[in-house]
Amino acid sequence: MTNTQYSPVTLLGLGAMGQAMAAALVKAGVPTTVWNRSAGKAGELVAAGAVEAATVAEAVRDAGVVIAVLLDHASVHETLDPVAGELAGKQLINLTSTAPEESRELARWAAGHGIEFADGGIMAIPPMIGGEGSAILYSGTRAVVEAHREVLELFGTAEFLGEDAGLAALLDFALLTSMYAMFTGYFQAAALAGTAGISATEFGERAAAWLTAMAAGMPEYGKKIDSGDYSADVQHLAFQKAAVDAMVRAHRDAGVSTEVIGTVQQLINRQVEAGHGAAAFERTIEELR
Ligand code: FVH
């Protein structure tokens, strides 16, 4: 049964994420209209109380807020451009993963059509939606997020970052970058461990414990970076170079590619060659800035 305390929500896109979000809305009694490009994905949602629209125009007509959870920036335009007129005066939240500049472009597009816009970065996978640990970062027009905060909190913690529509996507992608680099580091390391007959599962358990302990040091790394003072009493870059050079040799000796650890080696080498061997490891960020 729908709950009249909520204004109607239209959700565009019923992929894995869109379905999880629509299910959370329906479960809470939010009047929910769904649309998906290809048919056959709304069955369970309709059975649970959602309304399926045949067209995007029909879907957005009576919406209090329209939420797009599509594949990418191009699919957002492909879906919304034809209904820009119908969206005028309405509120739109894009939860599709888009690069920050793409989010800003969407904000300009929306403003040009009289649409109030906020963008979001989903820090969760579909099974997490509505549960503990699910969080969504928002930026753009604060009023859009605040007007629908109660509904948005059904997906996960809703954090508003600021008026720059690209900010949520930027932080989302920064966090994802750290995750991709961490998992790729695990793949590199598991390949090395595998040459000694250690399964990726067993190594994964060890790596998870090790990385959890090490990750606690990140804010301290951040303090050093933010201070700009890269002086180091111990474990300076020349020391790190010796260790990473040995790790690269270990991979070569074992017949394993050095692509991931080799990139770390190159960054450290460039800093040492530039005369920063006595500086802290954190100075490696200067190679990336
Ligand atoms: N799934 C996840 O773990 C991640 C978590 C973090 C955030 N991402 C982003 O969320 C967006 C949606 O992801 P998804 O998991 O729902 O993705 P899919 O299951 O692949 O569904 C894609 C939907 O997009 C529709 N679609 C694709 N192209 C078009 C188009 N040109 N016009 C209209 N709709 C389009 C697709 O429709 P169909 O193929 O079923 O017809 C799906 O509804 C995404 O940005 C993630 O990066 C999820």
Side-chain angles (χ1 to χ4, degrees):
M1 216 170 76
T2 56
N3 185 333
T4 48
Q5 87 184 61
Y6 296 115
S7 66
V9 175
T10 288
L11 200 138
L12 304 174
L14 293 178
M17 185 54 81
Q19 295 221 21
M21 292 186 149
L25 295 175
V26 171
K27 191 176 162 198
V30 178
T32 305
T33 299
V34 294
W35 171 88
N36 194 62
R37 175 182 62 174
S38 47
K41 290 195 173 176
E44 283 182 28
L45 291 165
V46 170
V51 172
E52 183 179 17
T55 64
V56 185
E58 184 188 318
V60 305
R61 191 172 305 138
D62 299 320
V65 62
V66 175
I67 301 177
V69 195
L70 299 163
L71 181 66
D72 57 12
H73 180 248
S75 63
V76 175
H77 270 302
E78 207 172 300
T79 303
L80 298 183
D81 284 0
V83 297
E86 283 94 330
L87 284 170
K90 293 192 185 297
Q91 296 183 317
L92 168 67
I93 299 176
N94 175 51
L95 295 182
T96 308
S97 295
T98 50
E101 278 307 319
E102 293 170 342
S103 301
R104 293 179 185 118
E105 186 280 329
L106 280 173
R108 288 192 296 274
W109 173 88
H113 289 92
I115 303 162
E116 273 198 294
F117 178 80
D119 198 77
I122 305 169
M123 306 315 304
I125 55 173
M128 289 169 68
I129 293 301
E132 210 178 317
S134 173
I136 305 190
L137 307 171
Y138 294 92
S139 64
T141 306
R142 181 187 284 273
V144 174
V145 175
E146 296 312 331
H148 303 285
R149 176 168 287 281
E150 207 180 334
V151 160
L152 299 176
E153 296 273 0
L154 295 171
F155 303 143
T157 308
E159 186 182 357
F160 183 78
L161 299 175
E163 299 285 326
D164 169 8
L167 194 52
L170 186 90
L171 190 55
D172 177 8
F173 280 9
L175 289 166
L176 288 177
T177 297
S178 66
M179 183 193 77
Y180 274 94
M182 177 190 73
F183 279 120
T184 312
Y186 158 71
F187 299 152
Q188 167 87 83
L192 178 64
T195 64
I198 301 165
S199 73
T201 309
E202 183 192 338
F203 181 71
E205 279 159 13
R206 281 183 191 275
W210 166 248
L211 290 174
T212 301
M214 289 299 101
M218 268 181 213
E220 284 305 315
Y221 276 54
K223 276 185 199 162
K224 199 159 221 17
I225 292 165
D226 291 340
S227 76
D229 173 7
Y230 292 116
S231 57
D233 296 333
V234 289
Q235 302 205 333
H236 43 70
L237 272 164
F239 167 90
Q240 305 281 355
K241 174 176 163 49
V244 172
D245 284 350
M247 285 177 224
V248 169
R249 290 198 298 280
H251 284 76
R252 286 208 185 104
D253 293 347
V256 174
S257 162
T258 61
E259 272 171 284
V260 180
I261 191 68
T263 300
V264 179
Q265 183 189 39
Q266 282 172 29
L267 295 171
I268 291 174
N269 282 351
R270 293 211 298 265
Q271 279 288 302
V272 172
E273 282 159 19
H276 302 296
F281 179 40
E282 291 89 326
R283 202 181 196 292
T284 308
I285 195 173
E286 299 301 339
E287 286 299 322
L288 303 167
R289 277 179 161 165

